[in-house]
Each structure stands twice: as structure tokens, then as C-alpha cells.
Amino acid sequence: MAFSTAPTSPATPARFGLTADQLHLLQSRCPDLTLPAEFYSAWAAEVPEIERTERMLVAELGLIDQGLLRAAPTDTPTAAPIDTHSDTFAARVHPAVLGFLGLFTEPALLLAVHSWGGGRTIAQTIAVRAGFAASLVRGQRLDDHGSHPANEDAVELSAFPVSALIGETLRSLVRLEPKNHPRPPQGRPAAAVVLPLTLAQGMIGAIRTGNPEIIHAAALEVGLPQAEHVLEGPAFGIDAGYSVAATSLTGDSLAVHWFRSTTGWFQMSADTPLVGRIESTVDFVDSSRVRIETTGPAAITGQVTTAIGSLLGVLRG
């Protein structure tokens, strides 16, 4: 499918897919591009030269077929090393592709979004500069135990105006809320607790016993009546997660993490002492605090919207 720079509406992202090899070819032959670390790839030493040449040839042909790369002057790529001169190759790349990927070089705002659930993780990086944004997305498959992620071959590149930034940042959160997912009981207001790390661990251990007397005794020890309700999420069945981290040229930043369990979503953060101000591991644990707050998709959406709006407001002055 040929690439078009004209989206269906001003706020509709222009999207197209690349293989990992196609992205590798672009980044290796266009020296001015600086891609996020999660999307940078390099050949392993054990990959033989003949395989590298064949894979790069297939990647080149695919980019030409999509309209993202003009054919070489001979009109027929060969199995010889592809474009020894990087400047020659870069001149053949569609200008819009270079422009979109170029946003990742010194962006005014950089967002890193991660989500996981349903046996898959999604990694997304969004670069914002001068009213426009570009997004790279890739997925990983997990094994039956939810570990050992394996990269998928496809990478999505999107370009859109800043007005679509919030919606793009929330895309993977929406994916985590399938229609058939059981909803947690309604009627409980959001609540939060802040506890020393050891007390939080003890309370979670008590909840996992399922013994009301042990749970009650632990709650008395903690001294927070709502602790049981708030810590139910971390105690049982965490099956999904969503996080947003952002950094800007102005020095402003944020990093927020949410998790979903059978009881619903909760937000968790930790306050740990600075290195150099502690003398031992025991001091580190005793001085650390954990904050856990129950929440929901609507509240997460509102928090992300407010945070991004605030960061954009600082950039615009």
C-alpha cells in the first residue's frame, strides 16, 4: 500500500506499518535519524553476512512497494550491499518519512507508554515538536507465565497533530478494557494509603491468607481502616498494567504507573531515600514509602489528559 501524507481529517493520524528489518534499514542508512532505544536494532554477531544482505534486500523492496522509498537508479535492486553511500539512500526515502522519524531527534516532549495484558505487551514512544507528533509502536508476545517477551516483527509509525496527542497516548489503555472483562463492584469511592514498605508487604500478606481475623489484626497494626480495600488490588490477580512517562526540554517530567487486578485498577508509586543518605539496606527499607490508590479507566484518562495538557502548556509558555 502506497503511503499518503494526506490524512482523512486534520486530527486523523497517518499510519503505516514497517517490519523490524525495514526500520533497521532506514535507521542504518539515514545517519541523521536518532530513534528511541526501544526501536533501535543491531545485527547480532551470529547473523551471517549473506542473511543480512538478503533481509535488507527484502526490506528495500518492501519499502519501495509501499511508496516509502524510490527505486535505485538501476530500477532493480540487486543482492549487492545496499547503498554503500548513506546520503544516496537517504535521498531516495520519502521526505515525509524522514520528517516523521526526524521528530525523535531532540523532541520538545517525549512520551514513553507501556501496557501489558492478555499475553502481550505494547511499547509506544511519542515525540512532539512544533505542533506535530510522531509515534512508534511495537508489540511483544509473552509466554504462558507472562514472562520472556519476544519481539513481534511489525512496527507502526504514525504522524498526527498535537491535538490528537491525548487520544494516541490512551490507545493502549483502551485495548486493555475488552467488553467481556468483568467489572469490579461499583459504589466504592476511590481511596489511597501511604505506608512504609514493610507494613505494606505485611498487610498484603495478611489479605492473601483470606482469614478475617488476621486481616483485621494487620489493619489495626497499620492503623488505616481503608487499607484492606486499597491493598486488595496488589494482593490478588494482577493481569494488566499501563504506564506513562514523559520528559521535556524544559526539564518537566512525569512517570505514572497503573495496574489492573480482579478488583479493578489501582495506581502505585514509591518514595525512596536518595543514594548517599542511607547507611544500609535496612535503612533503605525502613525509609521507603509506598502509595497505593484505587482508580478506574475514566480517572486514568482524566489524569493522563491533565498531565499532558499541563506539559504542553509549559512548552507553549
Side-chain angles (χ1 to χ4, degrees):
M1 182 176 65
F3 172 62
S4 171
T5 59
T8 55
S9 71
T12 300
R15 306 191 197 279
F16 58 97
L18 300 171
T19 66
D21 283 349
Q22 287 173 343
L23 188 62
H24 172 76
L25 177 61
L26 288 170
Q27 71 186 13
S28 62
R29 301 298 178 182
C30 300
D32 293 334
L33 294 180
T34 303
L35 298 184
E38 289 183 312
F39 295 87
Y40 179 83
S41 60
W43 294 113
E46 62 269 18
V47 179
E49 188 63 33
I50 188 172
E51 180 182 340
R52 301 185 188 196
T53 302
E54 291 175 351
R55 287 171 60 177
M56 288 299 92
L57 175 61
V58 171
E60 182 186 12
L61 291 172
L63 290 171
I64 292 173
D65 185 59
Q66 289 178 266
L68 308 180
L69 179 71
R70 294 199 312 272
T74 59
D75 294 328
T76 305
T78 67
I82 298 174
D83 271 348
T84 305
H85 301 289
S86 296
D87 55 348
T88 304
F89 182 89
R92 296 168 52 203
V93 181
H94 196 298
V97 175
L98 290 178
F100 297 157
L101 292 176
L103 292 178
F104 291 96
T105 303
E106 296 184 359
L109 178 64
L110 189 67
L111 294 168
V113 184
H114 292 86
S115 67
W116 59 272
R120 190 169 184 240
T121 69
I122 299 292
Q124 178 183 26
T125 302
I126 305 174
V128 180
R129 191 169 69 199
F132 294 94
S135 167
L136 282 169
V137 180
R138 69 172 174 82
Q140 295 178 322
R141 293 291 177 181
L142 305 177
D143 61 18
D144 293 338
H145 302 288
S147 58
H148 299 94
N151 288 341
E152 297 172 344
D153 185 53
V155 178
E156 179 198 81
L157 171 61
S158 303
F160 47 91
V162 168
S163 58
L165 177 60
I166 293 173
E168 289 299 297
T169 305
L170 291 167
R171 279 177 68 200
S172 59
L173 174 66
V174 174
R175 183 192 67 84
L176 290 174
E177 287 298 306
K179 294 181 180 180
N180 60 351
H181 188 272
R183 295 288 180 178
Q186 301 298 314
R188 282 183 172 179
V193 296
V194 179
L195 292 170
L197 181 59
T198 51
L199 287 183
Q201 291 175 325
M203 187 70 199
I204 289 174
I207 294 172
R208 286 175 175 170
T209 68
N211 187 312
E213 294 182 357
I214 294 177
I215 296 173
H216 178 68
L220 291 178
E221 178 69 21
V222 169
L224 296 172
Q226 74 273 30
E228 177 186 351
H229 159 49
V230 177
L231 294 176
E232 282 179 344
F236 295 111
I238 298 175
D239 59 9
Y242 173 75
S243 67
V244 178
T247 56
S248 72
L249 288 178
T250 62
D252 296 277
S253 64
L254 70 89
V256 196
H257 308 276
W258 295 272
F259 303 90
R260 189 186 66 192
S261 71
T262 55
T263 61
W265 285 91
F266 63 92
Q267 181 180 339
M268 185 163 60
S269 59
D271 181 13
T272 57
L274 297 175
V275 176
R277 295 187 179 183
I278 55 175
E279 297 181 357
S280 67
T281 303
V282 174
D283 290 338
F284 180 86
V285 173
D286 290 343
S287 301
S288 297
R289 297 291 182 271
V290 178
R291 185 180 190 277
I292 301 173
E293 179 179 6
T294 58
T295 186
I300 296 173
T301 298
Q303 192 171 349
V304 171
T305 301
T306 300
I308 292 178
S310 176
L311 289 171
L312 291 175
V314 172
L315 290 176
R316 293 167 178 167

